[in-house]
Amino acid sequence: MTARRSGVSAAARPAAWLAGFAIAFSMLPGIAAPSPAFDFTAEEKRRILRHGPWPPASAPDPSNRVSGKPDAIAFGRALFFDARLSLSGAVSCATCHAPDRAWTDGLPRSRGRRTVDRNALSLFNLRFNRWFGWDGAQDTLWAQNLRPLLDRREMGIGPGGAARLVHADRRLSCGYRRAFGEAPGADDERVFVDLGKALASFLETQVTGRTPFDDFRDALARGDAAGQARYPAAARRGLRLFIGRGNCAFCHFGPAFTNGEFADAGVPHFVEPGRVDPGRLGGIRKLRRSPYTLLGAFNDDAQRSTAAKTRYVRLRQSNFGEFRVPGLRNAALTAPYMHAGSLGTLADVVRHYSTIDEDRLHAGGERILRRLDLSARERADLVAFLETLTEKGPRREVATKPADAACR
Amino acid sequence: MARRRLAGPALAAALALVLTAGQAAACPPPQGWAGAGSIAGELWSAWWRPEPAPIPVGDHFSVRFHLCGPPVGRVQVRGWMPDHRHGMNYRPAVTLNGASGTAEGLLFHMPGRWQLILDVRGAAGREKLVGETVPE
Ligand SMILES: [Cu+2]
């Protein structure tokens, strides 16, 4: 966008840039090299500030009556690590979302009872999502949590099996009663959906901590030069590319570095020869067939106050091959990348964007991604910037055992 | 083709006098619509305003509009990002009451320049009215 506005053709730009550089030098007698630090323009500053503040304000999810309730959080945590929720008794949520691997499994495609088609998404900052899953087939966190319990390749216990387990196990019945204020009822599907809601209450607590980028961003907002100076020069140059020539921030927008929507980023979507992952196209179709949406009977909010996205979402052929724009906080901890884990490192991702084949994008004529032809240094700068989106300090402990011994 | 502008009502009215020869008759904005956007076309002209204002990036908003010109049969509302050549991922629902209406369920998912497009139809013909806006 900026490039288009400048009105300087791509061919002319290096020359103009060189000329500008020469003039800048001639005005600085006695200075041998430009300082590595530079000031962001007012427009750049405006764009940078939009990626904060962090963490953003948040409120309980009205579609989930136990959102934010401490007893539901404790119950959800216990469920998350409980392998009895799988048909084989050997797979828990943590099999593919390990707390010590930033809630992923480190595999290109996850393996539960069998291997699935996609890369395990990390579970940070979920409370800020509009859609869930790489294809956005779920419109709430609680509905997303039901998916592995229904999919026989993952855990597959299903509503009947899950409800039987809760009724039969004293500790789970007790956890349910505390979380929901009543004993698990006779309606299996209701109990099943409630497990998704307790899991959601737990996962909502997983918000990433402050990063070096956040400190820089806030120092920029305050006009604090010393605070800004602590941000490495390479990251600063990478940030300039990210919000400028790279066009990254149109999709990786806002405090969570995602606009919450879907795009074709030029990543091949063959699952195996002859079978493609339809991405968002399949996601909207699944959403429309699902009983577990904001428009269905399990939404606890009688006003349907968060259901606009589901009511108005639009299906188009160009949704084929689109995947959700992932947030980039803690991305350095969640390799491999993209919906099927096809890229091993952040450097690979940046090289992908640098050499992207514009003709192969199925974006229905959309023009945002372009071949960037970045130099080796520019690629390293972008990676340095992405690494500053990693939270500082030791990771918080996640108690993997139910803390609540009194619940029997 | 529609000509479009976004300006304060006084300025818009003054410009309308100068610029709209051969276009739809300019009409005053509805009561209390200070600061609304205006779009002048050949057949119709429109006043429109978002709720909430300014339009946020990445959040649902609605648009109220008022049309001046011949009787209106049907209105569709869309968004378009000309620099990227894509529209919205949501299809708004329009309720029409005479020459006024509301479109609900819009969402601009990127920062930058967007067009707000009213596709107006009536016995007199059809027309595409294009307003411009930059969500905050
Ligand atoms: Cu765009």
Side-chain angles (χ1 to χ4, degrees):
Chain A
M1 194 161 205
T2 34
R4 199 92 53 87
R5 243 191 223 152
S6 75
V8 182
S9 78
R13 209 179 298 128
W17 188 84
L18 272 181
F21 204 64
I23 291 167
F25 260 105
S26 64
M27 295 187 333
L28 297 171
I31 294 177
S35 150
F38 52 81
D39 282 331
F40 287 102
T41 66
E43 170 61 18
E44 284 175 327
K45 195 173 148 186
R46 204 177 61 82
R47 293 183 181 196
I48 293 166
L49 294 186
R50 295 179 117 151
H51 293 289
W54 191 263
S58 58
D61 172 0
S63 75
N64 175 359
R65 66 194 185 286
V66 298
S67 171
K69 264 186 74 177
D71 285 334
I73 294 169
F75 184 43
R77 183 193 296 116
L79 293 169
F80 191 88
F81 295 98
D82 195 331
R84 293 175 300 167
L85 284 168
S86 69
L87 282 175
S88 60
V91 182
S92 73
C93 307
T95 304
C96 304
H97 301 288
D100 56 354
R101 281 181 174 273
W103 301 115
T104 65
D105 50 15
L107 299 170
R109 295 204 260 139
S110 289
R111 201 174 313 124
R113 299 177 60 241
R114 270 172 280 146
T115 300
V116 300
D117 293 349
R118 298 193 183 139
N119 176 255
L121 279 157
S122 164
L123 304 180
F124 290 117
N125 303 332
L126 294 173
R127 63 183 314 148
F128 308 114
N129 281 18
R130 184 179 304 122
W131 299 105
F132 297 85
W134 282 105
D135 58 4
Q138 287 73 228
D139 62 356
T140 61
L141 180 51
W142 51 266
Q144 172 67 45
N145 295 338
L146 302 176
R147 197 192 49 80
L149 301 174
L150 291 164
D151 188 330
R152 300 177 68 86
R153 294 171 306 174
E154 299 186 40
M155 297 163 78
I157 190 167
R164 262 195 306 282
L165 178 67
V166 174
H167 283 290
D169 183 80
R170 272 216 340 246
R171 189 170 204 130
L172 291 180
S173 306
C174 169
Y176 181 99
R177 192 164 13 87
R178 292 223 173 153
F180 293 94
E182 58 186 345
D187 179 346
D188 286 358
E189 195 175 25
R190 181 115 224 143
V191 173
F192 176 64
V193 172
D194 284 344
L195 299 188
K197 288 178 179 169
L199 282 162
S201 307
F202 165 54
L203 292 177
E204 279 168 359
T205 64
Q206 298 302 307
V207 174
T208 52
R210 298 267 307 172
T211 68
F213 168 78
D214 296 315
D215 291 346
F216 172 72
R217 183 252 170 226
D218 291 357
L220 193 65
R222 287 194 306 270
D224 163 5
Q228 291 171 52
R230 281 193 283 276
Y231 195 55
R236 210 181 267 250
R237 293 190 301 264
L239 170 59
R240 170 170 271 181
L241 276 168
F242 189 87
I243 56 159
R245 186 159 74 85
N247 274 354
C248 316
F250 284 114
C251 298
H252 296 285
F253 176 78
F257 291 85
T258 170
N259 63 12
E261 291 292 322
F262 303 82
D264 180 345
V267 179
H269 50 113
F270 277 100
V271 180
E272 60 206 7
R275 189 161 69 90
V276 287
D277 187 332
R280 182 59 171 155
L281 188 78
I284 298 178
R285 290 190 172 140
K286 279 190 195 152
L287 176 82
R288 290 187 171 160
R289 284 196 305 265
S290 171
Y292 310 122
T293 73
L294 289 168
L295 300 179
F298 299 99
N299 183 347
D300 293 333
D301 174 16
Q303 313 305 319
R304 301 272 187 274
S305 60
T306 54
K309 61 189 177 190
T310 316
R311 195 170 290 132
Y312 299 112
V313 68
R314 173 177 168 216
L315 181 79
R316 279 165 304 162
Q317 205 48 47
S318 61
N319 294 132
F320 183 76
E322 288 183 347
F323 292 88
R324 201 181 78 210
V325 179
L328 300 179
R329 287 183 180 267
N330 274 2
L333 307 177
T334 64
Y337 301 102
M338 308 317 216
H339 68 271
S342 53
L343 297 174
T345 63
L346 286 176
D348 294 339
V349 175
V350 168
R351 191 171 307 107
H352 163 78
Y353 283 112
S354 181
T355 58
I356 203 162
D357 182 351
E358 292 177 29
D359 297 332
R360 279 188 45 193
L361 295 175
H362 300 98
E366 181 171 298
R367 277 267 168 253
I368 308 171
L369 284 170
R370 333 182 142 260
R371 195 188 157 101
L372 294 170
D373 286 322
L374 301 172
S375 69
R377 188 179 101 159
E378 288 172 322
R379 292 201 306 270
D381 289 346
L382 255 181
V383 172
F385 162 65
L386 292 170
E387 281 170 346
T388 66
L389 303 180
T390 311
E391 62 190 357
K392 298 176 295 182
R395 274 225 52 79
R396 296 147 287 169
E397 286 295 309
V398 178
T400 59
K401 290 270 152 24
D404 194 356
C407 192
R408 280 178 215 286
Chain B
M1 256 308 284
R3 205 160 296 164
R4 62 264 185 175
R5 75 186 70 91
L6 237 184
L11 179 59
L15 283 172
L17 286 178
V18 180
L19 295 174
T20 53
Q23 294 186 337
C27 63
Q31 196 86 54
W33 281 39
S38 78
I39 315 171
E42 305 281 336
L43 291 169
W44 286 280
S45 62
W47 291 95
W48 69 277
R49 55 170 206 183
E51 166 62 38
I55 298 170
V57 180
D59 254 318
H60 282 283
F61 66 98
S62 59
V63 164
R64 292 177 64 192
F65 57 86
H66 179 75
L67 292 156
C68 305
V72 179
R74 189 175 163 202
V75 179
Q76 280 181 307
V77 176
R78 328 180 252 134
W80 182 252
M81 217 179 172
D83 295 314
H84 297 162
R85 296 198 276 159
H86 64 76
M88 295 189 299
N89 294 335
Y90 300 85
R91 186 192 307 285
V94 175
T95 42
L96 197 61
N97 180 6
S100 299
T102 306
E104 307 216 43
L106 292 93
L107 190 146
F108 289 168
H109 62 280
M110 282 186 198
R113 201 159 59 90
W114 283 81
Q115 294 176 337
L116 181 94
I117 303 177
L118 306 182
D119 282 313
V120 188
R121 291 183 210 202
R126 62 182 292 180
E127 185 165 40
K128 181 173 142 184
L129 300 175
V130 183
E132 293 242 341
T133 183
V134 178
E136 302 273 294

